[in-house]
Amino acid sequence: MERLAETEGVTLARNIETWEKRLALVREHAPGTSSENLCTAWRDYYTRIERARDEGKKLAWVSFFAPLELLHTLDIVPFNPEQHIIAYLARGEEHELFDLGVGAGFSKSCCSPHLAAVGAAKEGLLPRPDFLLSTSAPCDSNAVMFKTFQYLFHTPCHFIDNPYRYDDEAIRYLAAEIRDAVAFLEEHTGQRFDIDKFREILRISNSIHRYHCEINDLRKTSPTPLRGKWAFSLVSLKYMSDGTPATLRYFEALHRDIKERVEKGEGGVPEEKRRIMWNGVFPFFHMKLLDWIEDEFQAAVLAVLSYDDFFLAGNTEWDLRDPFLALARKMLFYSGICFLGPFSHETQMKGLIKMCREMDVDAQIYFAALGCREGCGYMRLFKDTLKREVGIPTLILDGDPGDSRVVSVEQMKLKITEFFRMLEGV
Amino acid sequence: MLYGGCDVGSTTGKMVVIDGEGRIVASSIVEAEVVCEDTAMLALKTALEGKELNQDDIAYTVGTGYGRVNVPFARENISEISCHALGAFSANPQIRTLIDVGGQDVKAIRVNERGGVEDFVMNDKCAAGTGSFLETTCRRLKVPIDQLGPLSLESKNPVKLSSQCSVFAQSEVVSLIAEKKALVDILAGINASITKRLVSMMHRISLEPEVAVSGGVAKNIGLCHMLEEKLGLKLASVDADPQLLGALGAALYARRRAERKADG
């Protein structure tokens, strides 16, 4: 019982309570802003999950980049355990779940949010799924985690195979995979898939995407209007709740707010001296590190993860005549976020180089996350290529996304300080 | 006019005082006290002893090392990577790659043609490859740390240590003793294990000659010899005690800062 008390923060009830409190604060101090929409969207996301069972709805655990639009069409409630754990780690509550994950037999050297998610699942801290829906993107560790969930819950699990390249054949292949997923979902819900409703939901996703592209364009201005942490939170919501009216309302409001900030010349970092590209995941247990960089060095943190629409930027109007092809195209692009995706190094580098040039960045911080094979494998190639092609230096920042015991915050700060000193030429 | 640099590390404190031409006029290396401030004060006092100098003669002091924010007489602090780079550069302007093996961390630094930092990497996940690793292992073998280098050079058949972890390496050393391996071969094996880590760190920053070693470990001739073998080059000599390079760099920064302030 003591163990459960220590991990109480991971429960849905705690999340709903947290977002309710934030919403109340926003309504008091900044009513009518996009922050209000953000809090509402998150609160509703968690509430839907908590009430799913009582409302007779199926609950599906999903991976990042899973086609949420399919689930919304069939009125299935999606729950992303990895994101949920990341949000939990971001509150600085940790360690216990890693040990539980190890106890469940998951390797300590795997991705720590995955390890913690397995620990929470094994301990019964998360709502039990009716079935699991995962994609092979963004990484093998994700696939292994979903297989472990299947083993723990004895639940049906469907995998969608993301191809390793982006071309017409790959899109057709993925569209077929999505159709297979529909068959799986129909079988486990006993419902017929409504193609017109599906198309309507995709229209919402397309509108969200359009706003996201415009927001990213606005972020190119100097000073950039968003702080790094804030920019990350917008993709986080999209990954969890794409295709929903609540997410669309948030993006609409955020676009309005940011446009206003740009027009007034207001930056996330008031005296922006530098622009740093943060490549990779973050030390979620201490997201304040981003604030620290921005305040200590007047360096705006621009993040690859929050530029997931970059690849799709030229495609703001989706062709919905074949909605499965449209969804396949979206999934392939989204899962291609720079370093994590299934794309080849050349494709990723091309995107990153273009992004660094358009964003006018001065340097890159590459977060080499322990346990992230995909992320760490490319670090030297990214570093050397950006130096050669864009002329910017890279700091390889070793760390862990969830476990503060691997590299301490102080050690990271020391390295970052050295890096900025180097940029300044002391 | 005199300028000071005080490098407060995890195992030692170093103080360098230079004149307006950058010449070292006083220096010290002392064992670290429990409290950083005490280490700094001891290093200062020891450096000034018998020199007919006192603290007031030093116009500007910069603190460096992990205890740099706790140097009571420093006007400002600068990180050790920058200080080691400048210190090494001033002692030999041809140096482009520097490996600094400190008590608790290791840094590989690419130095530019002005003595600034071009690139760097640091170990930060464990103590393997650090001065502490050598010290604890020597303690286990009851070998004075200053004998590690000379004794290891006597080895004809260095053992291969498989553990990278400092703690597990201790157990491995105990096993090697039990297997009646020669002491000099174990010591050479310890140096070889660290050398491999240092070489891989230097390659991460695209090693470029001349290459030098700073920090106390630079006095381990066995390790330096192995490094030269592995790198296929001769390590650059420096015109100063390699253990003082961080403090020297700090003193040079102190001179720059003071001159800049004087120029308004």
Side-chain angles (χ1 to χ4, degrees):
Chain A
M1 287 312 287
E2 190 191 347
R3 175 177 282 179
L4 280 172
E6 283 175 14
T7 51
E8 190 194 349
V10 83
T11 58
L12 292 172
R14 173 76 174 271
N15 276 277
I16 295 167
E17 188 189 322
T18 303
W19 284 107
E20 279 286 10
K21 279 183 188 165
R22 285 191 197 172
L23 182 59
L25 272 175
V26 170
R27 281 182 176 154
E28 191 182 335
H29 300 289
T33 60
S34 55
S35 299
E36 189 173 338
N37 297 93
L38 180 72
C39 295
T40 311
W42 275 117
R43 182 201 57 187
D44 294 351
Y45 167 74
Y46 283 113
T47 307
R48 276 198 301 277
I49 297 161
E50 196 191 39
R51 291 182 185 164
R53 188 102 34 222
D54 292 343
E55 293 177 357
K57 291 179 180 170
K58 298 283 187 193
L59 184 73
W61 281 23
V62 295
S63 64
F64 279 105
F65 314 123
L68 301 178
E69 291 86 349
L70 301 185
L71 303 174
H72 298 322
T73 303
L74 287 163
D75 215 13
I76 299 164
V77 177
F79 171 65
N80 183 317
E82 184 178 351
Q83 179 281 330
H84 182 67
I85 290 299
I86 286 171
Y88 170 74
L89 296 172
R91 294 203 298 265
E93 303 168 50
E94 43 172 325
H95 297 171
E96 183 76 6
L97 290 183
F98 303 127
D99 298 338
L100 291 172
V102 172
F106 210 66
S107 171
K108 203 163 85 176
S109 63
C110 283
C111 168
S112 60
H114 292 170
L115 179 63
V118 168
K122 174 76 167 51
E123 195 64 15
L125 296 167
L126 304 176
R128 192 182 166 80
D130 292 300
F131 44 81
L132 312 166
L133 181 65
S134 177
T135 63
S136 56
C139 61
D140 294 341
S141 175
N142 165 72
V144 173
M145 175 178 68
F146 268 78
K147 270 296 182 196
T148 308
F149 289 150
Q150 186 182 15
Y151 168 76
L152 289 174
F153 293 115
H154 307 288
T155 313
C157 180
H158 187 85
F159 274 91
I160 295 173
D161 184 33
N162 272 48
Y164 188 71
R165 55 178 210 262
Y166 186 85
D167 55 31
D168 288 346
E169 192 187 339
I171 291 166
R172 280 197 298 275
Y173 172 82
L174 186 54
E177 285 284 302
I178 295 169
R179 285 195 187 90
D180 284 351
V182 170
F184 168 83
L185 296 172
E186 283 183 328
E187 183 192 338
H188 290 283
T189 56
Q191 290 183 52
R192 290 277 298 163
F193 191 77
D194 181 342
I195 199 84
D196 292 328
K197 186 177 174 189
F198 176 45
R199 204 174 267 116
E200 278 313 305
I201 290 166
L202 273 176
R203 270 199 190 94
I204 298 176
S205 289
N206 190 178
S207 300
I208 294 169
H209 167 72
R210 206 179 302 116
Y211 278 120
H212 199 172
C213 291
E214 286 175 24
I215 289 168
N216 281 346
D217 268 344
L218 290 167
R219 290 179 66 199
K220 290 176 187 166
T221 53
S222 185
T224 191
L226 281 182
R227 282 177 80 85
K229 236 168 61 178
W230 191 5
F232 173 67
S233 73
L234 77 109
V235 287
S236 185
L237 178 67
K238 196 167 88 164
Y239 288 155
M240 297 316 105
S241 285
D242 208 357
T244 66
T247 304
L248 176 57
R249 280 194 292 275
Y250 169 60
F251 273 77
E252 206 173 0
L254 183 67
H255 177 257
R256 186 195 62 223
D257 286 356
I258 291 178
K259 209 170 161 201
E260 202 178 301
R261 287 175 71 84
V262 169
E263 279 162 8
K264 287 181 186 166
E266 286 176 5
V269 178
E271 303 288 326
E272 183 182 285
K273 275 169 60 183
R274 291 190 185 279
R275 294 162 75 90
I276 303 295
M277 180 59 74
W278 182 288
N279 197 340
V281 293
F282 303 94
F284 295 113
F285 61 89
H286 192 76
M287 287 298 278
K288 286 179 188 161
L289 188 70
L290 271 62
D291 290 331
W292 176 78
I293 292 171
E294 292 182 326
D295 296 335
E296 184 81 11
F297 306 104
Q298 289 84 52
V301 177
L302 309 156
V304 168
L305 269 180
S306 54
Y307 280 93
D308 64 337
D309 281 332
F310 183 82
F311 290 103
L312 264 177
N315 182 13
T316 49
E317 295 303 327
W318 298 350
D319 180 356
L320 296 178
R321 281 173 298 178
D322 183 338
F324 291 103
L325 280 178
L327 183 56
R329 193 171 285 118
K330 174 207 155 182
M331 277 177 69
L332 258 187
F333 268 122
Y334 279 14
S335 57
I337 56 168
C338 270
F339 82 105
L340 281 173
F343 290 165
S344 68
H345 164 69
E346 286 75 16
T347 311
Q348 295 176 355
M349 275 317 312
K350 224 166 109 183
L352 186 63
I353 288 167
K354 188 164 184 285
M355 202 187 309
C356 285
R357 284 185 179 140
E358 288 185 6
M359 299 300 296
D360 194 23
V361 302
D362 302 297
Q364 175 185 222
I365 294 179
Y366 191 102
F367 190 67
L370 185 82
C372 181
R373 273 61 168 163
E374 278 77 2
C376 290
Y378 275 154
M379 63 189 189
R380 182 63 185 261
L381 300 179
F382 274 90
K383 178 178 175 174
D384 289 355
T385 311
L386 278 194
K387 182 76 182 169
R388 191 178 58 245
E389 300 292 327
V390 193
I392 62 169
T394 294
L395 169 68
I396 304 285
L397 186 64
D398 293 315
D400 190 272
D403 193 340
S404 62
R405 296 170 295 188
V406 176
V407 177
S408 72
V409 171
E410 286 314 310
Q411 279 172 309
M412 286 191 286
K413 283 185 175 176
L414 180 70
K415 261 193 182 181
I416 292 167
T417 304
E418 295 285 3
F419 186 60
F420 275 96
R421 277 193 180 280
M422 189 184 94
L423 293 178
E424 287 156 14
V426 191
Chain B
M1 194 80 83
L2 299 178
Y3 309 95
C6 185
D7 177 1
V8 178
S10 59
T11 51
T12 55
K14 284 81 65 178
M15 180 78 203
V16 164
V17 182
I18 59 170
D19 62 17
E21 303 300 315
R23 287 183 296 252
I24 297 176
V25 297
S27 67
S28 70
I29 300 171
V30 300
E31 272 193 40
E33 299 289 314
V34 177
V35 178
C36 292
E37 284 86 344
D38 294 345
T39 306
M41 292 309 295
L42 180 63
L44 174 69
K45 183 170 163 260
T46 310
L48 299 182
E49 260 169 15
K51 297 281 183 191
E52 295 179 0
L53 294 171
N54 62 57
Q55 194 179 329
D56 296 337
D57 297 324
I58 305 172
Y60 202 103
T61 299
V62 164
T64 190
Y66 100 103
R68 62 182 180 268
V69 295
N70 302 112
V71 178
F73 49 90
R75 298 273 291 274
E76 67 176 294
N77 69 79
I78 293 178
S79 64
E80 57 263 44
I81 289 181
S82 303
C83 290
H84 274 275
L86 185 60
F89 180 80
S90 77
N92 179 345
Q94 301 306 313
I95 287 171
R96 292 294 173 271
T97 306
L98 182 69
I99 188 97
D100 169 39
V101 186
Q104 63 180 12
D105 59 20
V106 184
K107 305 144 194 123
I109 308 165
R110 273 286 304 279
V111 184
N112 66 24
E113 62 286 354
R114 298 178 307 282
V117 178
E118 181 83 20
D119 197 0
F120 69 93
V121 289
M122 288 170 74
N123 79 319
D124 42 19
K125 290 196 193 75
C126 69
T130 67
S132 300
F133 172 80
L134 293 176
E135 278 184 1
T136 49
T137 315
C138 282
R139 206 175 299 133
R140 190 73 190 79
L141 292 166
K142 297 194 187 318
V143 172
I145 187 77
D146 58 354
Q147 288 304 301
L148 167 61
L151 285 172
S152 71
L153 284 178
E154 293 173 19
S155 169
K156 296 277 184 290
N157 189 22
V159 298
K160 198 171 175 184
L161 283 181
S162 55
S163 301
Q164 283 200 334
C165 166
S166 298
V167 178
F168 289 145
Q170 308 300 311
S171 319
E172 198 174 348
V173 164
V174 171
S175 304
L176 292 167
I177 297 166
E179 287 169 27
K180 309 286 183 208
K181 297 282 185 195
L183 177 69
V184 291
D185 291 339
I186 299 174
L187 295 173
I190 291 164
N191 271 342
S193 133
I194 286 206
T195 300
K196 276 188 269 183
R197 288 181 69 88
L198 301 185
V199 169
S200 75
M201 283 182 78
M202 283 191 268
H203 282 305
R204 275 180 69 183
I205 52 160
S206 305
L207 177 148
E208 194 181 306
E210 300 282 326
V211 179
V213 184
S214 67
V217 173
K219 294 173 181 173
N220 177 339
I221 54 166
L223 190 141
C224 291
H225 183 71
M226 280 186 180
L227 263 178
E228 290 182 334
E229 268 186 3
K230 279 270 173 203
L231 296 172
L233 51 75
K234 193 152 175 52
L235 291 172
S237 59
V238 287
D239 189 21
D241 182 332
Q243 207 171 351
L244 289 174
L245 292 179
L248 173 61
L252 291 165
Y253 273 118
R255 186 181 63 169
R256 272 191 201 175
R257 295 291 202 264
E259 286 171 355
R260 202 175 294 167
K261 281 191 164 62
D263 292 343

